Amino acid sequence: ANTFYLRGLGYLRNYESVEQLDLAIGLFKAAIAEDARFALAHAALGDAYWQKYIKTDEVRLAEDALQHSRRALELNAKLAPVYVTLGVIYNGRRQFDEALEAFRQALTLDPYDAEAYRSRARFYRDLGRFDEAEADYQQAIALKPEFWRGYNSLGVFYYAQGRYEDAVAQYQRGLDLAPSNPSLLLNTGAAYWQMERLDEAIEMFERLLRLDAAHAAARSNLATAYFYRGRFEDAARLYEEELALNSSNYSVQGYLADTYHWISGNRDRAVQAYRRAIEMVREHLEVRPGDPELLGSLANFFAKLEQPDSARVYLRQLEAVQQPDQVGVVEAFGIGETYEQIGERERARAWMEPALRNGYGWVQVEHSPWLRDLRADPGFRALLASIDRKSP
């Protein structure tokens, strides 16, 4: 049982694909078949199910994850990894008090658990407690400097703050350890994109696809690059390919709807695609009620369906719990884009400005077809001119 467990843990800690998660799940199940009371195997299986849920958007996996994690706790309440897994799942389900208590328990049992620090950092990040998040990411790296994922996680954190040069520096440290790592290549490309090093970004995405022709995020990001370059048919083709492989991804469904919107004669297809994306997001709200990312997606899809009242319902829910300076730049700019879509330019500016001042959103402002009218607005152009883009 322990051999199966350790092999599965190797796949889980270094996974880059759903196939690797499936291998981990199979090995954890084999461990449990050998020893039904193996608490660590139950916890790891719960973690693997949750990561697969995040990757595939298959809602049923979220409940499987919670059941196995709770079973692990019943079997042994003295193991730090059990509480780490519970903390990750509770955080994802927006049960923040339970998540914080789980991480506290984990670090009480093992103050040197790097995964506990890295997972708690994500929790702090989601709550907008950025100083505490950065400190935990740094601590995770200090405890396990040979592990590429620590550098990747800190880079993703910096990226969300608009600190792209800092993000690239962390990704490079990770690439020094794992030169062909898909996540590091993908995230480096995304950072280059936001730095308007567009050709380098596209090269990174294409390099990753050469290594792995089935890499979903590389295909999606390349499609997004084509979209911002006005190559809508090429973008639609890539998004369609991705949905054929993963029909549960609501983000890709929304991106495909966007491309249809801008292809002449495809308005009806766009409407159908947005409606399907809305259905998919609502399924996730049953697992993650009140999740700002989901609420923001619903608002955006309704705005693009030209249903501003429905969009405002979700925007007001968002504003009840967070303000522009309390969220990451990606979320803030996205909310601003939605307000622009429903004709509330002052609110759009209020949400976009903090992101722009922190270095995020310039590619969208200059290239997005959704922001053409905003680009022509004299007041907004004056705002852009007032921002020193060299300083975060």
Side-chain angles (χ1 to χ4, degrees):
N2 195 57
T3 298
F4 287 135
Y5 166 73
L6 291 175
R7 286 175 58 198
L9 204 61
Y11 284 117
L12 178 60
R13 290 290 174 258
N14 292 282
Y15 78 88
E16 290 289 343
S17 67
V18 172
E19 290 74 20
Q20 289 170 310
L21 286 173
D22 285 337
L23 287 170
I25 288 168
L27 287 162
F28 296 140
K29 286 182 175 179
I32 292 168
E34 292 288 335
D35 180 1
R37 297 184 61 80
F38 194 170
L40 286 174
H42 279 284
L45 182 57
D47 191 353
Y49 276 139
W50 183 259
Q51 300 309 324
K52 186 176 179 181
Y53 160 64
I54 297 298
K55 282 277 189 180
T56 66
D57 291 327
E58 295 179 36
V59 174
R60 64 175 180 80
L61 295 172
E63 188 58 35
D64 292 338
L66 189 59
Q67 287 179 0
H68 278 282
S69 300
R70 286 174 171 167
R71 177 59 177 155
L73 188 64
E74 291 173 359
L75 292 169
N76 193 331
K78 298 295 184 181
L79 297 171
V82 171
Y83 289 100
V84 173
T85 297
L86 280 168
V88 169
I89 294 172
Y90 284 141
N91 184 43
R93 295 173 70 97
R94 313 290 293 173
Q95 296 174 245
F96 296 129
D97 290 342
E98 292 89 340
L100 186 58
E101 175 59 19
F103 292 132
R104 187 193 68 79
Q105 291 275 13
L107 288 168
T108 297
L109 289 166
D110 185 358
Y112 302 101
D113 189 326
E115 194 63 22
Y117 281 105
R118 194 172 70 86
S119 299
R120 191 176 68 174
R122 174 63 185 265
F123 164 80
Y124 283 141
R125 189 195 79 175
D126 289 349
L127 290 185
R129 295 164 62 172
F130 300 130
D131 290 343
E132 292 163 288
E134 184 171 8
D136 271 3
Y137 281 127
Q138 294 281 13
Q139 182 66 12
I141 290 173
L143 288 168
K144 207 167 185 180
E146 75 286 356
F147 188 35
W148 66 268
R149 198 178 289 278
Y151 302 106
N152 186 62
S153 296
L154 181 56
V156 170
F157 170 76
Y158 286 147
Y159 178 93
Q161 305 304 306
R163 297 166 59 180
Y164 304 118
E165 291 185 5
D166 290 336
V168 169
Q170 293 301 320
Y171 298 146
Q172 188 56 58
R173 292 179 70 185
L175 285 168
D176 290 342
L177 297 169
S180 298
N181 182 273
S183 288
L184 292 165
L185 292 171
L186 180 76
N187 292 337
T188 303
Y192 282 151
W193 179 259
Q194 294 301 338
M195 296 164 74
E196 295 192 66
R197 294 162 63 174
L198 307 188
D199 291 340
E200 292 171 271
I202 289 174
E203 193 280 328
M204 295 296 284
F205 300 144
E206 291 176 341
R207 175 181 165 187
L208 179 48
L209 281 175
R210 287 194 296 270
L211 289 170
D212 181 4
H215 197 285
R219 185 185 297 106
S220 180
N221 281 19
L222 186 58
T224 300
Y226 288 155
F227 178 85
Y228 282 122
R229 287 285 180 86
R231 297 170 58 179
F232 303 126
E233 290 84 358
D234 290 334
R237 173 179 52 80
L238 290 174
Y239 287 136
E240 286 167 349
E241 290 177 3
E242 183 53 34
L243 279 175
L245 296 171
N246 181 7
S247 61
S248 300
N249 192 317
Y250 68 85
S251 296
V252 174
Q253 183 72 41
Y255 297 148
L256 179 60
D258 287 348
T259 61
Y260 286 157
H261 179 94
W262 294 103
I263 297 173
S264 178
N266 280 262
R267 177 59 178 166
D268 288 345
R269 295 179 74 188
V271 169
Q272 292 174 5
Y274 284 130
R275 287 175 177 167
R276 174 59 185 142
I278 288 168
E279 292 174 1
M280 294 161 73
V281 173
R282 282 175 167 162
E283 290 177 2
H284 290 287
L285 275 174
E286 295 178 8
V287 177
R288 294 144 56 192
D291 186 306
E293 178 185 334
L294 298 176
L295 296 175
S297 294
L298 283 174
N300 185 262
F301 296 151
F302 277 116
K304 289 171 178 174
L305 281 173
E306 299 180 8
Q307 297 182 30
D309 290 341
S310 295
R312 287 187 185 96
V313 168
Y314 297 105
L315 288 168
R316 298 301 185 256
Q317 288 183 39
L318 281 168
E319 289 193 318
V321 297
Q322 59 187 21
Q323 293 300 310
D325 59 351
Q326 297 173 327
V327 297
V329 292
V330 178
E331 294 86 352
F333 192 87
I335 294 168
E337 286 185 295
T338 301
Y339 271 122
E340 172 65 16
Q341 281 297 116
I342 62 173
E344 295 191 30
R345 184 157 294 168
E346 287 304 312
R347 287 182 180 269
R349 172 174 170 158
W351 280 92
M352 287 183 180
E353 184 173 348
L356 290 165
R357 291 193 180 279
N358 282 282
Y360 182 85
W362 292 87
V363 173
Q364 292 91 320
V365 165
E366 294 299 328
H367 299 280
S368 174
W370 297 108
L371 301 179
R372 287 173 180 168
D373 292 343
L374 184 64
R375 283 196 289 274
D377 182 83
F380 193 74
R381 297 304 300 180
L383 168 65
L384 298 181
S386 73
I387 296 174
D388 179 5
R389 296 181 60 184
K390 294 182 180 180
S391 61

